[in-house]
Amino acid sequence: MLVVLTERLSPILEWLKSVAGYSVVESNSKALNVSRTQRGKDRPPLDCSPRMNHSFRLAVGQSSSLSELSTQTDDCILLDGKKVSFLKLSDLSGDSKKDLCRRLVASNGQDVFLMGISYSEAQSLTNCRDFPKASSQTLPRCRSYRLRKTQLMADPFDTLSSVVSEVNNGKRTLYFSRHGESEYNVLGKVGGDADLSSRGRQYADCLAEYVNSTLGSIPGFKLWTSCLKRTIQTAKNIKAPQEHMEALNELDTGVCDGLTYEEIAERYPIEFAARDDDKFHYRYPEGESYFDLLLRVQPVLDRLKVEDNVMVIAHQAVLRCLLAALLNKDEKELPYIHTPLHTVMRLSFNPVDDGCHLELIPLSIECVETHRAKPENCSLTRTAEEALITVPAHF
């Protein structure tokens, strides 16, 4: 459960309602009671249940000030029997909005509590922080809200555009490639940590020859891969400094990991239809959505916004997120960006026209096609044939 503490309630409340898709289900203006209780090593976690009139009592393990609630809350903080995650915001500027987006995704649709604390002239924030040990102090009255997720985020790309730094539109070039064809690609399976197929190994050799002969001599050229075997194997013979990043790992397919589309459609027909209906927001059970993945790769995007002469060897969904952000695609386009296997994707930024150009450079190694277009019929009542009509051929 996420509890947001802020002294600028109005803009954050408005953002949660108009952009993040939350609605107020309960509100009140009450005093916020904070109690500080020492906890011995052998004592169990403290359980603090909120009264529905929002006069919250928060048991704070080793915290000595209100400002520490967001940084000192460990597993001794329980609210309605659930672990509480605190976030203290002063505004919705870059890093703050980034933190809030990530916390909302991590909350997985649970209700969010927003507390807007306002202090009188006679009682400053500093004075309120200095409450005695093992005692209770009532802070000035605050407005508190309980919000519930009722709709999809209105415009996540507009929201996230302020999360990452501005694109450096100076003359520079970035390179992208998927891993070579994997054994799972050949079988039509999703997820996993499979090795390269024989044709995938041929692509790795071909890519190394291309990069080493054309890019390797560029000063500062470097290579980033995921931590999965198929990208590391693809980059093995490339002569450049390499960095392996977990943030670049493929989208987590949860309970569907290792299954073919046909198997998913047979075992989880409702999930399969729901993903086709809204591929960007759909989250695999025990897995991720494209929106989750977009938030996960934000640190990589932050670096790519200013980098030059970097090659990223990653995965289909990951490259879709990176390219969508760099090319300013919307959420409907993102999950269907074509990122073919055995192809170098060169993204060039040109300050003359203040834009960028994506060029696909296919290397001549055969491979399977993994791109699946959105089917026309995404309803729950569709037939198996209608559900699988756009699934690419595999062995």
Side-chain angles (χ1 to χ4, degrees):
M1 184 179 298
L2 177 62
V3 178
V4 180
L5 303 174
T6 180
E7 294 176 63
R8 299 193 64 187
L9 184 145
S10 295
I12 296 175
L13 177 62
E14 183 59 30
W15 183 88
L16 286 169
K17 293 193 299 182
S18 62
V19 177
Y22 285 80
S23 296
V24 175
V25 294
E26 193 173 357
S27 66
N28 213 326
S29 178
K30 292 288 183 180
L32 177 65
N33 296 321
V34 178
S35 61
R36 182 179 184 276
T37 307
Q38 297 288 351
R39 177 165 64 103
K41 293 182 179 179
D42 300 326
R43 292 180 61 186
L46 298 170
D47 190 0
C48 316
S49 298
R51 302 183 183 95
M52 284 302 96
N53 65 5
H54 292 280
S55 179
F56 288 85
R57 297 189 61 82
L58 305 175
V60 183
Q62 297 296 323
S63 177
S64 60
S65 72
L66 177 63
S67 65
E68 292 176 5
L69 285 176
S70 60
T71 58
Q72 297 289 334
T73 51
D74 55 21
D75 60 359
C76 74
I77 303 301
L78 299 176
L79 191 61
D80 270 350
K82 300 178 181 179
K83 186 176 178 181
V84 179
S85 173
F86 287 88
L87 180 61
K88 186 170 182 289
L89 294 179
S90 57
D91 53 37
L92 274 179
S93 58
D95 287 343
S96 297
K97 187 179 290 185
K98 184 176 182 178
D99 288 342
L100 181 54
C101 283
R102 287 177 174 169
R103 294 290 191 90
L104 291 174
V105 170
S107 70
N108 202 23
Q110 295 184 48
D111 287 1
V112 172
F113 292 88
L114 176 65
M115 301 180 184
I117 307 169
S118 59
Y119 297 87
S120 65
E121 294 180 0
Q123 194 170 22
S124 68
L125 176 59
T126 301
N127 291 334
C128 290
R129 287 174 176 167
D130 299 328
F131 56 89
K133 294 182 178 181
S135 67
S136 177
Q137 172 161 334
T138 300
L139 298 180
R141 296 175 69 83
C142 72
R143 191 73 180 173
S144 51
Y145 296 87
R146 180 172 185 161
L147 298 104
R148 184 163 298 159
K149 186 76 170 175
T150 56
Q151 55 186 319
L152 299 176
M153 184 168 280
D155 191 352
F157 276 86
D158 179 63
T159 301
L160 293 172
S161 65
S162 62
V163 170
V164 294
S165 56
E166 293 297 320
V167 177
N168 172 12
N169 281 327
K171 190 174 182 180
R172 62 195 187 94
T173 307
L174 302 174
Y175 301 86
F176 302 90
S177 172
R178 288 177 64 187
H179 52 79
E181 180 189 76
S182 73
E183 293 174 349
Y184 266 25
N185 292 147
V186 174
L187 298 173
K189 295 184 176 183
V190 302
D193 191 14
D195 290 306
L196 295 181
S197 68
S198 60
R199 296 189 300 193
R201 293 192 293 272
Q202 291 178 47
Y203 175 72
D205 293 337
C206 188
L207 180 65
E209 182 180 352
Y210 172 83
V211 173
N212 293 339
S213 62
T214 60
L215 306 177
S217 60
I218 298 176
F221 178 77
K222 47 189 167 292
L223 182 66
W224 300 348
T225 80
S226 75
C227 294
L228 300 179
K229 289 188 295 185
R230 53 195 185 272
T231 63
I232 295 174
Q233 291 170 359
T234 303
K236 180 179 178 181
N237 296 321
I238 296 177
K239 299 175 182 178
Q242 298 190 16
E243 185 175 349
H244 309 304
M245 307 177 184
E246 288 188 358
L248 290 174
N249 287 357
E250 181 60 302
L251 184 146
D252 185 350
T253 52
V255 299
C256 296
D257 191 69
L259 301 180
T260 65
Y261 282 127
E262 290 87 349
E263 290 170 332
I264 298 172
E266 180 181 359
R267 298 184 193 183
Y268 310 107
I270 295 177
E271 297 292 334
F272 198 56
R275 188 167 195 263
D276 282 342
D277 186 57
D278 187 0
K279 194 173 180 179
F280 180 77
H281 293 98
Y282 172 84
R283 179 182 291 124
Y284 279 104
E286 301 180 19
E288 291 180 304
S289 67
Y290 268 96
F291 184 40
D292 297 333
L293 179 58
L294 188 60
L295 292 177
R296 167 152 63 86
V297 300
Q298 285 304 314
V300 180
L301 274 170
D302 288 343
R303 295 174 63 179
L304 288 177
K305 293 284 183 176
V306 295
E307 286 280 2
D308 187 17
N309 295 318
V310 175
M311 171 169 271
V312 178
I313 299 179
H315 309 267
Q316 181 168 248
V318 172
L319 293 186
R320 282 170 171 167
C321 287
L322 298 179
L323 291 172
L326 294 168
L327 294 169
N328 198 29
K329 301 294 185 180
D330 63 33
E331 65 180 67
K332 292 182 179 179
E333 296 175 283
L334 183 154
Y336 298 101
I337 293 175
H338 193 206
T339 56
L341 287 169
H342 297 183
T343 302
V344 174
M345 290 159 265
R346 179 166 59 196
L347 187 61
S348 303
F349 294 86
N350 190 337
V352 175
D353 56 14
D354 195 29
C356 55
H357 174 67
L358 178 64
E359 179 184 4
L360 301 185
I361 307 172
L363 303 186
S364 55
I365 304 295
E366 290 187 2
C367 58
V368 296
E369 175 60 75
T370 62
H371 182 82
R372 177 174 179 255
K374 182 173 182 176
E376 290 186 8
N377 189 347
C378 300
S379 71
L380 299 178
T381 59
R382 65 185 179 178
T383 64
E385 290 75 19
E386 290 173 321
L388 299 172
I389 193 169
T390 61
V391 172
H394 58 83
F395 298 99

